[in-house]
């Protein structure tokens, strides 16, 4: 269950990163296409906590592995 | 395949579908396929489609509205496609301001805005019969017309038609005007910058100015003359350099004569601008033109104050005629302190370096100035002889004055509607044919004269903008155009990298 949770967290993070990058590229190709309707900074506000959560989860994973190995 | 892997595949697919749907909905929104975009802001926060008011130092945010303390102030609205028309609804309070304008940046070179009136106290208070078609209002002294179209059909052939921010599509003409071959001499001494209108029909524009430099301040004192034709185009300019005496200890210079003669001109009103500083005195104007009226400002200087420089001043009282309603007087010298008569009412000019204001009667007013050395300013025109008077601004009123010659006023203006808590609401409609789109934005401007942070300011509570374009946009064409633009941009970036 723990592994499934970690995997899903990472998947969501990758999806958000991917969406953010696509939106940024579109915004650069046609200025206003995204920023007219979506505040790109607000996506960052979601991305950053998820990023932190991913770091915490992966640290926990490494620790768990170490304990298992020992 | 484990249950987790299956779940992940479905989860990721769902995520990708949501993202792609989101992106397509953004593209569809951006293409504005229904041809209409509505943007609303209560100005409390910065929204992607509409900016807040800027520059910040000219406005003050109080609770949930803005206090405008200086002009001009701007806001921008995103325009993802080219629209034909913008309807801007503004909720505001005029405070003590008599006129507030709202403009939109146009494509013309430089800082250019097409401005219309959001609030005009004088027009709001006209007691004449009035009717509106949603954009324009027709005011009638005596009601003759039942609708605006009926009036516009005959507006060229009836007398006493005034227009405010409305193009009647005609030039001002004086019926039965005949050119004269007699020379007229205006021997009032005028100090500094002046502008005047004159009327030309079957005659040359012929002026001779006698000028003198009093040399009261250091530096060169050039005189630049500009002449504009009836369509406002500059047709002549001439620079008269300083005579070489530039120090304030130099004596007043000898008279110089500047002549202008321009033949073969079309009939109409010409504006002559004499641009200079207060060291230059226009001692005499000789002309064959019969109609001359000065615009907004007169500085009469036949006063003993200047006798140290000029010994031949005509120290008699002056008479001036004006259609201005709020008239301001100013003197910088003790010799200019006096009691001026405005429509036979005494106005005491009791203090130096202070503008003293007075209201005239709603007709052509006569001002009698016993001692001169007085700046007179108003929004209107001045004539130095009653026979010189004519009012070419009647077809393009910059400000409304209840002058006798106006029977009808057609104005591109709607009286604001009062909403809750004393807020006023008004709508201005702009045609966007000439509007400038800069980095995908339309730029709007609020303006109002004489703003300050104390008493003279106005408030803005909310803005609503409705942009409308062509309703028959073919979605296939719009998408094709969009992708072509994106592909071109990518190609451009690749070629730049190469």
């Amino acid at each position: 269950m723990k592994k499934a949770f970690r995997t899903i967290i990472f998947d969501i993070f990758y999806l958000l990163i991917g969406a953010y990058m696509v939106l940024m590229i579109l915004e650069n190709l046609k200025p206003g296409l995204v920023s007219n309707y979506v505040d790109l900074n607000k996506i960052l506000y979601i991305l950053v906590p998820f990023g932190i959560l991913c770091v915490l989860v992966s640290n926990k994973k490494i620790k768990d592995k170490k304990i298992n190995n020992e | 395949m484990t249950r987790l892997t299956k779940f992940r595949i479905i989860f990721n697919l769902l995520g990708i579908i949501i993202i792609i749907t989101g992106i397509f909905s953004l593209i569809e929104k951006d293409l504005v396929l229904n041809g209409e975009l509505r943007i609303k802001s209560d100005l409390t926060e910065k929204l992607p489609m509409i900016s807040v008011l800027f520059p910040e130092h000219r406005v003050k945010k109080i609770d949930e509205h803005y206090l405008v303390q200086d002009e001009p102030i701007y806001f921008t609205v995103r325009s993802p496609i080219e629209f034909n028309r913008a309807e801007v609804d503004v909720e505001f309070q005029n405070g003590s301001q008599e006129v507030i304008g709202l403009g939109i940046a146009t494509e013309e070179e430089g800082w250019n805005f097409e401005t219309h009136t959001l609030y005009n106290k004088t027009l709001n208070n006209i007691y004449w019969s009035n009717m509106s078609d949603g954009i324009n209002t027709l005011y009638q002294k005596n009601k003759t017309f039942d609708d605006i179209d009926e009036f516009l059909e005959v507006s060229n052939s009836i007398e006493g038609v005034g227009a405010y921010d409305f193009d009647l599509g005609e030039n001002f003409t004086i019926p039965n005007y005949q050119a004269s071959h007699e020379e007229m001499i205006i021997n009032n001494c005028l100090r500094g910058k002046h502008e005047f209108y004159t009327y030309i029909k079957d005659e040359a524009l012929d002026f001779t100015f006698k000028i003198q430099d009093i040399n009261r301040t250091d530096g060169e004192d050039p005189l630049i003359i500009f002449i504009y034709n009836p369509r406002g185009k500059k047709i002549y300019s001439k620079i008269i350099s300083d005579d070489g005496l530039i120090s304030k200890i130099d004596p007043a210079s000898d008279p110089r004569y500047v002549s202008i003669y321009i033949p073969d001109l079309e009939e109409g009103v010409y504006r002559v601008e004499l641009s200079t500083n207060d060291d230059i005195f226009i001692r005499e104007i000789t002309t064959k033109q019969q109609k001359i009226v000065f615009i907004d400002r007169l500085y009469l200087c036949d006063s003993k104050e200047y006798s140290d420089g000029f010994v031949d001043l005509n120290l008699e009282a002056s008479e001036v005629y004006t259609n201005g309603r709020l008239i301001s007087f100013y003197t910088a010298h003790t010799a200019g302190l006096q009691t001026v008569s405005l429509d036979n009412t005494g106005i005491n000019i009791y203090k130096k370096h202070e503008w003293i204001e007075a209201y005239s009667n709603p007709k052509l007013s006569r001002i009698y100035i016993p001692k001169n050395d007085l700046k007179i300013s108003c929004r209107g025109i001045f004539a130095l002889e009653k026979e010189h008077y004519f009012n070419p601004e009647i077809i393009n009123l910059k400000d409304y004055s209840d002058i006798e010659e106006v029977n009808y006023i057609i104005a591109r203006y709607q009286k604001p509607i009062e909403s809750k808590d004393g807020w006023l609401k008004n709508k201005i409609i702009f045609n966007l044919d000439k509007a400038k789109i800069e980095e995908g934005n339309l730029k709007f401007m609020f303006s109002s004269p004489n703003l300050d942070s104390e008493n003279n300011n106005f408030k803005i509570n909310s803005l609503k903008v409705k942009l409308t374009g062509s309703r028959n946009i073919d979605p296939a064409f719009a998408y094709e155009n969009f992708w072509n633009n994106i592909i071109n941009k990518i190609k451009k970036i690749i070629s730049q990298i190469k």
Side-chain angles (χ1 to χ4, degrees):
Chain A
M1 190 63 199
K2 273 184 186 172
K3 192 189 168 191
F5 175 71
R6 278 182 204 139
T7 315
I8 296 300
I9 292 287
F10 271 91
D11 282 352
I12 294 172
F13 184 63
Y14 294 142
L15 279 172
L16 282 174
I17 285 273
Y20 185 72
M21 283 175 69
V22 172
L23 291 177
M24 285 294 281
I25 291 167
L26 282 173
E27 175 65 21
N28 276 297
L29 288 173
K30 189 177 186 302
L33 174 65
V34 182
S35 61
N36 276 358
Y37 314 99
V38 181
D39 192 346
L40 282 165
N41 290 333
K42 280 185 182 158
I43 300 182
L44 271 186
Y45 298 154
I46 305 167
L47 256 180
V48 171
F50 253 101
I52 295 166
L53 191 64
C54 285
V55 171
L56 292 174
V57 168
S58 62
N59 279 345
K60 185 93 176 19
K61 192 180 170 183
I62 294 162
K63 271 184 190 172
D64 290 350
K65 260 189 181 176
K66 272 183 185 172
I67 292 164
N68 286 341
N69 288 342
E70 280 167 15
Chain B
M1 200 183 281
T2 62
R3 272 180 67 192
L4 177 64
T5 316
K6 277 183 191 168
F7 177 74
R8 278 187 67 199
I9 291 170
I10 294 167
F11 183 81
N12 282 306
L13 273 175
L14 269 174
I16 290 165
I17 289 167
I18 290 169
I19 291 166
I20 291 173
T21 315
I23 287 169
F24 268 92
S25 95
L26 278 180
I27 294 170
E28 198 182 326
K29 235 181 174 184
D30 200 65
L31 293 174
V32 199
L33 294 174
N34 66 353
E36 189 178 302
L37 187 63
R38 289 170 189 264
I39 303 152
K40 194 176 165 184
S41 171
D42 61 4
L43 301 171
T44 49
E45 60 175 332
K46 198 177 171 185
L47 298 172
M49 290 299 281
I50 187 166
S51 72
V52 290
L53 301 176
F54 62 93
E56 277 178 26
H57 63 273
R58 292 184 187 160
V59 291
K60 191 176 176 185
K61 199 156 188 300
I62 301 171
D63 301 327
E64 291 187 349
H65 64 262
Y66 274 95
L67 188 70
V68 181
Q69 300 173 325
D70 200 357
E71 62 150 359
I73 58 155
Y74 308 94
F75 67 95
T76 57
V77 171
R78 292 277 180 95
S79 176
I81 60 164
E82 280 188 18
F83 291 97
N84 300 333
R85 171 182 154 114
E87 291 176 25
V88 185
D89 276 285
V90 187
E91 197 174 38
F92 66 101
Q93 274 178 5
N94 67 303
S96 53
Q97 294 309 105
E98 300 212 342
V99 180
I100 301 170
L102 177 64
I104 187 166
T106 60
E107 274 173 347
E108 284 167 54
E109 230 174 86
W111 188 88
N112 269 303
F113 283 80
E114 176 196 327
T115 306
H116 300 296
T117 308
L118 182 71
Y119 180 86
N120 185 311
K121 192 176 177 181
T122 322
L123 285 176
N124 292 347
N125 294 336
I126 292 182
Y127 53 84
W128 298 356
S129 151
N130 66 75
M131 62 179 74
S132 164
D133 64 2
I135 299 176
N136 308 305
T137 306
L138 172 66
Y139 301 88
Q140 303 180 73
K141 196 180 264 179
N142 298 306
K143 194 177 175 188
T144 318
F145 300 97
D146 290 325
D147 72 62
I148 293 179
D149 289 337
E150 189 190 334
F151 164 77
L152 290 175
E153 274 173 26
V154 294
S155 65
N156 292 353
S157 55
I158 51 175
E159 283 196 359
V161 176
Y164 177 84
D165 190 15
F166 189 96
D167 184 7
L168 282 167
E170 57 173 314
N171 287 331
F172 178 88
T173 52
I174 302 176
N176 309 320
Y177 176 90
Q178 284 188 330
S180 163
H181 297 290
E182 278 181 33
E183 261 187 1
M184 175 175 83
I185 298 173
I186 297 172
N187 55 13
N188 296 73
C189 174
L190 304 173
R191 186 177 182 187
K193 181 183 173 168
H194 283 82
E195 277 180 69
F196 62 83
Y197 295 119
T198 189
Y199 192 78
I200 305 283
K201 184 185 178 185
D202 303 329
E203 61 195 311
L205 187 145
D206 185 357
F207 280 94
T208 300
F209 301 99
K210 178 183 170 185
I211 61 165
Q212 272 186 286
D213 183 350
I214 198 168
N215 288 318
R216 280 198 171 182
T217 53
D218 284 329
E220 292 188 4
D221 306 311
L223 167 68
I224 309 168
I225 301 173
F226 299 109
I227 298 176
Y228 300 86
N229 72 7
R231 289 179 303 285
K233 191 181 171 195
K234 195 193 290 174
I235 55 163
Y236 178 90
S237 64
K238 184 175 189 173
I239 301 173
I240 295 98
S241 308
D242 192 278
D243 59 353
L245 302 175
I246 58 166
S247 170
K248 65 180 177 186
I249 52 168
D250 284 331
S253 60
D254 289 334
R256 290 189 290 164
Y257 292 86
V258 181
S259 292
I260 298 166
Y261 183 86
I262 310 173
D264 306 324
L265 292 171
E266 61 178 302
E267 181 183 358
V269 179
Y270 289 74
R271 183 162 66 89
V272 180
E273 189 179 322
L274 305 168
S275 182
T276 186
N277 62 34
D278 281 351
D279 264 8
I280 295 293
F281 283 49
I282 300 154
R283 298 292 314 279
E284 196 176 276
I285 301 173
T286 309
T287 181
K288 284 185 179 162
Q289 268 65 67
Q290 300 165 66
K291 299 287 181 190
I292 296 175
V293 284
F294 291 85
I295 310 164
D296 292 351
R297 178 187 188 273
L298 260 186
Y299 194 167
L300 300 165
C301 51
D302 281 307
S303 162
K304 60 183 182 189
E305 167 64 29
Y306 307 107
S307 295
D308 57 332
F310 310 126
V311 289
D312 55 344
L313 287 164
N314 173 18
L315 299 179
E316 287 173 14
S318 298
E319 271 185 13
V320 173
Y321 299 86
T322 182
N323 69 344
R325 185 173 278 185
L326 174 62
I327 301 166
S328 307
F329 302 92
Y330 178 98
T331 185
H333 309 111
T334 309
L337 299 176
Q338 59 196 298
T339 298
V340 167
S341 165
L342 170 62
D343 296 324
N344 298 322
T345 307
I347 311 292
N348 190 9
I349 315 299
Y350 61 95
K351 207 171 179 184
K352 292 186 284 183
H353 303 291
E354 192 165 304
W355 285 98
I356 290 160
E357 294 181 341
Y359 280 93
S360 67
N361 291 328
K363 58 178 181 136
L364 188 63
S365 295
R366 174 181 169 270
I367 310 172
Y368 179 80
I369 306 124
K371 294 182 181 175
N372 296 311
D373 192 27
L374 202 63
K375 272 185 208 176
I376 314 171
S377 167
C378 76
R379 175 69 283 286
I381 52 184
F382 296 101
L384 291 166
E385 299 278 346
K386 209 169 186 177
E387 295 74 42
H388 298 174
Y389 180 82
F390 73 119
N391 183 7
E393 291 182 353
I394 192 170
I395 64 154
N396 183 18
L397 295 171
K398 291 178 186 169
D399 193 1
Y400 164 77
S401 298
D402 188 4
I403 39 183
E404 284 173 334
E405 63 225 87
V406 178
N407 296 320
Y408 308 93
I409 295 174
I410 178 80
R412 188 185 167 129
Y413 180 68
Q414 297 287 305
K415 193 175 178 180
I417 300 161
E418 197 161 329
S419 67
K420 52 171 181 159
D421 308 327
W423 290 101
L424 298 171
K425 274 186 178 175
N426 208 351
K427 182 198 286 182
I428 294 189
I429 297 171
F430 294 98
N431 186 331
L432 300 181
D433 288 350
K434 290 179 188 167
K436 187 200 257 177
I437 300 179
E438 211 170 29
E439 294 174 357
N441 288 306
L442 291 165
K443 190 174 188 182
F444 294 89
M445 173 192 75
F446 284 105
S447 62
S448 183
N450 308 319
L451 288 167
D452 62 41
S453 57
E454 290 167 9
N455 300 319
N456 303 316
N457 42 49
F458 66 95
K459 295 171 186 171
I460 298 174
N461 192 37
S462 71
L463 296 169
K464 274 186 211 165
V465 182
K466 183 178 156 194
L467 300 171
T468 44
S470 169
R471 288 193 181 274
N472 302 317
I473 300 169
D474 176 17
F477 174 76
Y479 274 109
E480 194 185 328
N481 200 22
F482 174 81
W483 290 119
N484 284 341
N485 284 341
I486 294 281
I487 290 163
N488 287 339
K489 194 86 186 264
I490 292 169
K491 281 180 183 167
K492 201 176 162 189
I493 293 168
I494 292 169
S495 70
Q496 276 173 351
I497 295 166
K498 279 181 182 173

